[in-house]
Amino acid sequence: MAHHSDELIIEALDIHKSFGALQILKGISLQVRRGEVVVLIGASGSGKTTFIRCINLLEDIQGGRIRVNGRAMGYRERSDGSLVRDSERNIARQRRDIGMVFQRFNLFPHMTALENIIEAPIQVLGTPRAEALEQGRGLLARVGLADKASHYPSMLSGGQQQRVAIARALAMKPQALLFDEPTSALDPETVGEVLQVMKELAEEGMTMVVVTHEMGFAREVADRVVVLDQGELIEQGPPEQIFSHPSHPRTRAFLSRVL
């Protein structure tokens, strides 16, 4: 799709994550370059959502390193090599660089679409209100909702709410966007409008990491498809290669179930 540079935006190295005795991520490494669209696929429970939540520090990791724009995310290393979590303030500052779009929108129900979008730029970035309003209206137009500025989330369809959520993530001017199954909670008829917005972002050169079950989107929009299985990265490559000539038997088994 878009031309991406060699500049690394996200670098995850040997990420380990457990919930109690259950090992969810078993040493996953992934690099994402500026302007690249990376789509993560794999069976439910393979660790895809946990992995992108670790990139954004919504989950703690037990081992490995995450760097965004060349800076270590969220942890300082002790002299013995163990990791200490950084202050919440520093983490919040780093999170600005990575927008996140969740499965369940997470909009503030008591705020209009426009208010949802301008809240963080005003509170976190210190954007003057008039400027935030202008940017917010521009972002609503960009996701095809210019006429919904004064609507509350309850007045919007799921697809419209998710497009507001994308506009809200863009309002922070992130270096990259993470999408956690952004269409899985939507009615089938609104899935397309959300995927269309994501496709346009990809064409504009936004760096994106997308967890999705939408194989058509992965095939059409991804620069690279990454296959996770049981907490391991088993295969990655261009969509054509992964969908037409997967090399790993577990990839073949997964694709035979979903395609």
Side-chain angles (χ1 to χ4, degrees):
M1 295 290 299
H3 301 293
H4 46 267
S5 71
D6 289 336
E7 183 189 353
L8 280 179
I9 295 291
I10 297 168
E11 195 174 8
L13 191 65
D14 197 28
I15 301 302
H16 286 78
K17 168 72 186 172
S18 300
F19 292 114
L22 185 64
Q23 229 190 336
I24 306 289
L25 302 178
K26 305 167 186 171
I28 291 187
S29 297
L30 182 71
Q31 295 184 328
V32 182
R33 298 179 191 286
R34 183 179 294 286
E36 195 175 16
V37 178
V38 175
V39 174
L40 305 184
I41 65 170
S44 293
S46 59
K48 308 180 299 291
T49 286
T50 301
F51 178 60
I52 67 165
R53 287 176 65 87
C54 289
I55 294 176
N56 210 22
L57 301 175
L58 295 171
E59 299 284 357
D60 283 327
I61 56 176
Q62 274 85 41
R65 300 285 181 275
I66 294 168
R67 303 175 81 82
V68 172
N69 283 334
R71 289 195 302 277
M73 267 297 263
Y75 297 89
R76 295 191 313 280
E77 202 172 334
R78 286 205 184 102
S79 51
D80 63 0
S82 65
L83 297 179
V84 197
R85 195 169 162 100
D86 211 340
S87 72
E88 282 308 313
R89 193 169 161 192
N90 283 347
I91 287 173
R93 194 173 294 139
Q94 288 187 300
R95 270 205 195 110
R96 292 179 203 170
D97 280 344
I98 305 191
M100 182 110 180
V101 178
F102 298 91
Q103 194 171 344
R104 297 241 169 236
F105 333 134
N106 294 13
L107 297 175
F108 297 116
H110 61 287
M111 292 185 180
T112 64
L114 185 57
E115 287 166 349
N116 263 285
I117 293 168
I118 67 173
E119 175 75 2
I122 291 172
Q123 301 296 337
V124 180
L125 300 181
T127 308
R129 187 175 174 85
E131 189 183 320
L133 283 166
E134 189 183 337
Q135 287 171 0
R137 288 197 183 92
L139 287 167
L140 277 174
R142 185 175 177 183
V143 298
L145 295 172
D147 57 338
K148 304 291 188 208
S150 58
H151 285 53
Y152 289 90
S154 60
M155 303 157 73
L156 301 172
S157 71
Q160 290 169 335
Q161 289 184 61
Q162 192 60 294
R163 286 187 281 155
V164 172
I166 293 171
R168 179 181 60 179
L170 290 170
M172 295 296 284
K173 303 189 168 72
Q175 299 284 327
L177 281 181
L178 308 176
F179 291 86
D180 179 17
E181 301 196 14
T183 59
S184 63
L186 300 180
D187 296 327
E189 62 268 24
T190 65
V191 167
E193 66 196 41
V194 173
L195 293 178
Q196 181 58 36
V197 168
M198 293 169 64
K199 204 163 117 183
E200 288 162 11
L201 288 174
E203 284 162 1
E204 289 165 18
M206 173 59 77
T207 309
M208 293 163 52
V209 181
V210 183
V211 172
T212 188
H213 294 289
E214 301 287 339
M215 296 301 147
F217 175 83
R219 193 187 282 266
E220 187 184 352
V221 181
D223 294 298
R224 184 158 39 113
V225 175
V226 173
V227 188
L228 265 55
D229 185 80
Q230 296 169 9
E232 297 175 315
L233 194 164
I234 58 171
E235 185 168 2
Q236 58 179 316
E240 178 54 32
Q241 176 196 319
I242 297 295
F243 288 114
S244 304
H245 312 285
S247 60
H248 201 292
R250 286 187 286 179
T251 306
R252 289 199 287 273
F254 168 69
L255 290 174
S256 72
R257 292 196 302 273
V258 297
L259 290 181

